[in-house]
Amino acid sequence: MAKIIDGKQIAAQVKAQLKTEVEQLKEKGVVPALAVILAGDNPASQIYVKNKIKSCEEVGIKSLSFTFDSSVTEQQLIETIEALNDDKTVDGILVQLPLPKGLSEEKVLKHISDLKDVDGFSPANVGALTLGRDCFKACTPSGCMKLIHSTGVDIKGKNAVVIGRSNIVGKPMALMLLAEDATVTVCHSKTENLAEITKKADILVAAVGRDRMVKADMVKQGAIVIDVGMNRTSEGLFGDVDFESVKEVASYITPVPGGVGPMTIAMLMENTVKSAKNRLNK
Ligand code: NDP
């Protein structure tokens, strides 16, 4: 029976440590600040933004909210971002996705300064991650790495399989595992014989968006299983991993909810504090 990796508890530890660092920054005259831009009335986005602002309060980060209705134009969003780029008291800028229909995320996001891109989505930050340089790393895979580290298992030389190759989860996840010397395989919707590949994984990360698709017979005995998926169904919220069966096979497993989700926000706080430290050291 697998040990449950408690993302809520680990996120709380990360935030407690950040709170101390924020107090030290404030003593030196720097108040870390995160600007959050929300456009439209997507209920899930509203909840995510509310949770991010709540976490800022917990850690002592100042949050600035910019809310627009779905009739907002790309130009209005870009002007807001550019004003925030110029504001020396703002450390991080986050645009909650998805944007309302008809607005190009790429066109809008590219205006966020690389130095304030605390989501780690910009081509410069993704490029720096690929090159192994210091950068803002995407929050969800960073959080997954912390959860894997919490097991105490050495990643070096392990077979890691990532299911999913999105720009915000799967690809950066694979790069982060590679940077820690795992042997990494990335699977996607065109992958043949998925189960044969996943069964070889010492570390298995599922970031697909398909309700409980990873079953026990796809998992190696003793594997670490990290479930990024968040699938809202009529029965409730489920991950990409069939937790009930897989927990009998894995050595460690993350639950949904209470696994990766809380870590994503904690890593956003970490990136904002990192940016504030950069401001202090300029
Ligand atoms: P995307 O839809 O962008 O990517 C899904 C990936 O899964 C794609 O690479 C796709 O392949 C692959 N895929 C789809 N079907 C299959 C299949 N049958 N077999 C193997 N691979 C498949 O999703 P995201 O990466 O943005 O998110 C993934 C999940 O993680 C979602 O449930 C999302 O809600 C959740 N999420 C959770 C977060 C958290 O904080 N907990 C944060 C971000 C996401 P292809 O590229 O070929 O299309």
Side-chain angles (χ1 to χ4, degrees):
M1 171 95 158
K3 289 192 182 122
I4 313 281
I5 305 177
D6 186 343
K8 253 187 171 167
Q9 194 196 356
I10 298 167
Q13 286 165 2
V14 171
K15 286 196 272 186
Q17 169 65 29
L18 289 173
K19 194 173 177 199
T20 310
E21 291 176 25
V22 168
E23 279 160 14
Q24 289 164 353
L25 280 164
K26 285 181 177 169
E27 279 165 20
K28 292 174 186 154
V30 169
V31 180
L34 174 67
V36 183
I37 300 173
L38 173 64
D41 49 13
N42 181 323
S45 294
Q46 286 169 341
I47 293 171
Y48 293 144
V49 164
K50 210 173 111 197
N51 289 339
K52 286 168 187 174
I53 291 170
K54 193 171 146 240
S55 281
C56 283
E57 282 164 10
E58 279 168 36
V59 171
I61 293 173
K62 183 177 162 191
S63 64
L64 303 130
S65 261
F66 297 84
T67 309
F68 299 90
D69 60 34
S70 44
S71 65
V72 68
T73 62
E74 280 167 7
Q75 194 50 37
Q76 283 171 301
L77 292 175
I78 291 166
E79 278 165 18
T80 306
I81 289 169
E82 283 179 344
L84 291 166
N85 284 341
D86 292 340
D87 185 338
K88 290 188 170 54
T89 66
V90 170
D91 300 294
I93 304 171
L94 177 150
V95 176
Q96 184 63 49
L97 300 179
L99 288 178
K101 271 207 179 104
L103 300 186
S104 157
E105 290 174 357
E106 194 188 331
K107 272 194 200 155
V108 171
L109 293 186
K110 77 174 184 195
H111 289 270
I112 298 176
S113 159
D114 298 328
L115 303 173
K116 299 190 180 188
D117 169 38
V118 285
D119 259 337
F121 291 166
S122 77
N125 278 312
V126 175
L129 175 65
T130 310
L131 297 171
R133 294 192 189 145
D134 182 46
C135 60
F136 291 120
K137 295 180 184 154
C139 299
T140 300
S142 286
C144 293
M145 291 306 290
K146 275 223 162 55
L147 295 177
I148 297 168
H149 291 152
S150 77
T151 65
V153 172
D154 191 5
I155 295 174
K156 194 165 155 186
K158 296 285 189 300
N159 277 330
V161 173
V162 180
I163 322 177
R165 57 173 167 181
S166 70
N167 290 335
I168 62 168
V169 190
K171 279 184 204 159
M173 185 75 236
L175 288 167
M176 288 179 205
L177 287 161
L178 188 62
E180 296 202 20
D181 297 328
T183 303
V184 183
T185 307
V186 182
C187 301
H188 46 79
S189 67
K190 312 290 185 296
T191 297
E192 291 177 4
N193 305 321
L194 180 68
E196 263 175 43
I197 300 167
T198 57
K199 254 193 115 58
K200 295 201 174 97
D202 303 305
I203 300 168
L204 179 61
V205 181
V208 184
R210 284 172 68 105
D211 177 19
R212 290 167 284 183
M213 70 166 275
V214 176
K215 307 286 185 200
D217 61 2
M218 297 169 70
V219 177
K220 182 177 174 179
Q221 189 77 38
I224 298 173
V225 179
I226 307 291
D227 189 355
V228 182
M230 288 207 298
N231 307 296
R232 283 171 214 286
T233 74
S234 54
E235 296 165 56
L237 178 67
F238 293 96
D240 291 339
V241 175
D242 182 27
F243 182 86
E244 288 308 319
S245 68
V246 173
K247 76 177 192 312
E248 303 300 327
V249 183
S251 60
Y252 293 90
I253 188 167
T254 60
V256 176
V260 174
M263 291 304 291
T264 297
I265 298 191
M267 294 301 100
L268 175 68
M269 300 298 113
E270 190 170 278
N271 280 348
T272 306
V273 172
K274 176 184 166 85
S275 183
K277 285 183 192 162
N278 292 345
R279 164 152 64 110
L280 181 69
N281 297 328
K282 244 185 216 158

